[in-house]
Amino acid sequence: MGMMEVSTIQRLARRAATLTYGIITLLFFVFLAFRDGSLFKQATEKEKNNIALAQDKLWNLSKDPHGLNHAFYKLANGFRLHYVSITSSLIARKNLIIFLHGFPDSWALWRPLLDSSGLRSNSALVAVDLPGYGGSDSLKEYGATDVLEAVAEFVIGMRELCGVDREDDMEGTGIRTRVIIVGHDWGCIIGSRLATEAPQLADRFILSNAPHPPLLIANVESLVSSSSKMLTTFVHHPLISRSLLRKALFTFAPLLDQIRKSGYAFTFNLPLPLVALAGSMGNFWFLRTCHRIAAGKDHPFQSQNAAEAMASSQGPGAHDLRSLTDSHESYPQSVARRASSGGFTEKIRYYREGLFSNPWIKTLETLATLHAIGESGRSGSGAGLLDDEPKGSLKAKTTIVWGLMDQAVDQRLALQGIGEYMPRGSQVVVLPNTGHWTPNEGAGSRAFAKVLEWAAGGEEGDLGHMVQKVYDGARITIQK
């Protein structure tokens, strides 16, 4: 049998295993929905009305949710990204803070932080809906190049709108606007890729609860290699190397835990009709479960907050699609097309089309702009450029805020060795009693706000002490 045949068989075996595990996970979801009585549940009129009211609050373009105003940024290719920002002028602020959400959220994930008076006093706050989410246009494809080009162009556009890269000092004060990019979940992955491949875009990245792709891949390969060697030795010498079997299983444990936690992602890679079933069954049972987990055990998931959480994920309703901004803009047609389903099968394409680790092929325009920002001295890079760094190291100052009770990511795979990938001026803040949705989980949200206030305040003071004042047990595990 030739090498090509072996490779084909291995690829087919991996695909079969992926499909099998995805189907098993889907069946498990069906069982859970059946057990709690949700599988055949239909939305009541009251629930529909509550969600419609919540959608009007969050998505009506003529309204100002939380004192923010709706706007659209049009990319060079005509694609439009929806975002919210503080109502007052974005110009003449010390900081530009751009928030990137993840699955299954929207700009509304960041409401607790957007409400911060401390941040509003000195920062332009911008929360964007990622492509295919909320009120933003749908992409034809969601590969690394497609998504990263769109987000990078948006960040560049916001820099221009805020005058970040002007030649003159802000209002003659000598103070220049700093750029901070904040990301959670897929927003964290996008942020870490920008910090690695386009560090000029921000002075600091603040990232939460998603792995840095090169590190995760390296850790998985290391665990598999070590476990395989121990198992091979055990198979050849079982009587004298029995302890190696236990060590091999112990070494492999983080990967097994991650596979268990990532069952939903395997389901998202099933044929789309099955994925659509997973998203819609039981009156959107899967999304409700995500939001119930995000609410945390100390915050009951009841009518009003449940409706707002679902409205956040599902995006604009039928009435909101007819609304207009002050500049008479409406939602793109692609938002209207996915409104009835909440765009679930659009959102999960981030898991299917290679955004995590496929190459980002930058356009000439992006390359030229990044070069110009770097030449102007406004780059957030300049650290972490040594030859002995691991491949894929972060090139801009980065603060990782991590909830240790993450239900979706094994911390051992995500954080083991992260210090080697971080440049000088970076740190890792861990929150022991917080789960995956760190930005809005009670004390986790308050700790996150302190990290942002520290960054927006010129990074002065003891960050660890500031966070510990609002979150008992928080600590900095890495400080570079």
Side-chain angles (χ1 to χ4, degrees), residues 112-340:
L113 299 173
L114 295 171
D115 282 339
S116 168
S117 58
L119 293 176
R120 289 190 177 203
S121 66
N122 64 6
S123 302
L125 306 179
V126 175
V128 63
D129 289 330
L130 293 178
Y133 284 73
S136 288
D137 247 328
S138 298
L139 289 172
K140 292 182 179 179
E141 297 180 359
Y142 289 86
T145 294
D146 306 276
V147 175
L148 293 173
E149 279 291 313
V151 175
E153 187 176 344
F154 175 81
V155 173
I156 291 167
M158 292 299 103
R159 291 176 68 105
E160 293 175 353
L161 184 61
C162 294
V164 173
D165 301 304
R166 291 178 304 177
E167 291 292 333
D168 55 315
D169 292 337
M170 189 177 72
E171 296 184 339
T173 63
I175 301 173
R176 289 187 178 275
T177 303
R178 299 177 70 252
V179 181
I180 301 167
I181 293 178
V182 185
H184 172 260
D185 192 79
W186 274 110
C188 172
I189 292 170
I190 291 169
S192 70
R193 293 206 61 172
L194 294 178
T196 300
E197 302 172 64
Q200 302 93 328
L201 290 179
D203 297 279
R204 180 168 293 277
F205 290 80
I206 299 176
L207 307 175
S208 177
N209 286 82
H212 181 48
L215 173 63
L216 179 71
I217 293 169
N219 281 342
V220 168
E221 290 176 347
S222 175
L223 291 182
V224 171
S225 176
S226 298
S227 299
S228 298
K229 289 177 181 177
M230 286 186 277
L231 286 174
T232 300
T233 302
F234 170 75
V235 168
H236 286 90
H237 308 284
L239 296 179
I240 62 174
S241 57
R242 284 176 292 182
S243 63
L244 284 180
L245 178 59
R246 291 193 299 272
K247 290 181 180 179
L249 294 176
F250 179 79
T251 301
F252 205 65
L255 184 55
L256 292 175
D257 185 50
Q258 186 59 61
I259 291 173
R260 176 184 64 82
K261 290 183 173 183
S262 295
Y264 70 95
F266 286 82
T267 298
F268 291 171
N269 278 277
L270 292 174
L272 280 177
L274 293 178
V275 178
L277 171 65
S280 62
M281 69 175 185
N283 188 25
F284 302 103
W285 173 86
F286 182 80
L287 286 180
R288 291 180 185 278
T289 300
C290 288
H291 289 302
R292 190 175 291 110
I293 294 171
K297 59 185 178 182
D298 297 328
H299 297 80
F301 190 62
Q302 296 174 343
S303 57
Q304 182 176 351
N305 57 1
E308 290 199 7
M310 292 301 293
S312 167
S313 284
Q314 293 182 319
H319 175 75
D320 309 305
L321 294 172
R322 298 190 293 271
S323 64
L324 299 173
T325 65
D326 291 340
S327 56
H328 304 289
E329 290 184 288
S330 61
Y331 286 109
Q333 284 299 311
S334 62
V335 176
R337 287 194 293 270
R338 64 177 190 253
S340 60

Side-chain angles (χ1 to χ4, degrees), residues 429-449:
V429 180
V430 297
L431 308 176
N433 301 312
T434 298
H436 180 70
W437 276 273
T438 306
N440 60 4
E441 286 190 35
S445 176
R446 293 191 292 274
F448 211 110

